[in-house]
Amino acid sequence: MTLGWNILGILAWLILVLYLIFIVQNIRKRHLMMIVKDRKRFEWKTTLLDILEVLILLCGAIYMFSITLFYNPNLENKQVLSSRVDYQPLILTAGNKRSYYVTARSDNKKAPIQTYTFYSNGNRVTVSSTYATISDGKNPMSVQAAAIPYSDKQLRQADGRYQNAYVATYTATYKKNWYNGLRMHAGKTAAKYYLIRVPDRTFVRELK
């Protein structure tokens, strides 16, 4: 059960919050005792204890922030991630002058980012070039998709099966274990990438 593992992360954050409440009350109590009982406004022992408690809180908070918000897993780490690649044939769209498989649109004038739209498995899919690439060369693996652990052998088999017109969707999911649960990521999608394969660039309709 996904929530069951992720409860570990929720409990860890709850412990940090409770510890914060504890040290606030504890620091306040010590300082009141120091003023009322010992009639002092400063004491090295009390100050050092305050610093120690705050440092423990900061270390715990930094660690939890780093593993829950800023963790970037290695896609080939089988202990953390499970992955799969789904292959679906592209559907040819008839245009006024020529037919095409993909529409590439440049919407952002400040950055070289495009959106790709294609039809596959009866669905219309639109994705950003941040998470997708078009491959139209002899090698099905494009330079942009090299960081994704696609199987070159399976891509070449898909070339023959779908006549170089398909989308290979890579999906990585965090495994359901205590380590990912502590991050509150267990069972969630870690990465999704689309390798859009076309026979050549003439099957891409470019819009500006």
Side-chain angles (χ1 to χ4, degrees), residues 2-18:
T2 301
L3 180 60
W5 287 114
N6 290 328
I7 280 178
L8 291 175
I10 296 172
L11 288 175
W13 279 109
L14 181 59
I15 290 171
L16 277 177
V17 172
L18 292 176

Side-chain angles (χ1 to χ4, degrees), residues 71-76 80-86 130-132 147-150 168-175 185 187-194:
Y71 179 65
N72 188 19
N74 183 342
L75 295 180
E76 295 185 354
V80 175
L81 301 175
S82 61
S83 62
R84 73 175 192 274
V85 179
D86 298 316
T130 306
Y131 307 103
I148 307 299
Y150 284 106
T169 307
Y170 170 87
T171 306
T173 306
Y174 287 101
K175 288 186 175 181
H185 291 344
K188 297 181 180 179
T189 299
K192 195 164 190 175
Y193 198 86
Y194 299 84

Side-chain angles (χ1 to χ4, degrees), residues 90 93 100-108 111-120 123-136 142 144-145 166-168 193-198 201 203-207:
L90 293 174
T93 301
Y100 54 90
Y101 285 112
V102 186
T103 298
R105 184 187 299 273
S106 299
D107 294 325
N108 194 328
I113 298 175
Q114 294 181 313
T115 55
Y116 303 134
T117 301
F118 56 89
Y119 288 88
S120 177
N123 298 316
R124 182 177 184 267
V125 182
T126 300
V127 292
S128 166
S129 59
T130 306
Y131 307 103
T133 185
I134 294 177
S135 171
D136 60 351
S142 68
Q144 293 88 341
Y166 61 89
V167 56
Y193 198 86
Y194 299 84
L195 176 60
I196 307 167
R197 181 69 164 140
V198 294
R201 203 70 185 183
F203 287 94
V204 179
R205 180 191 180 199
E206 296 187 357
L207 301 176

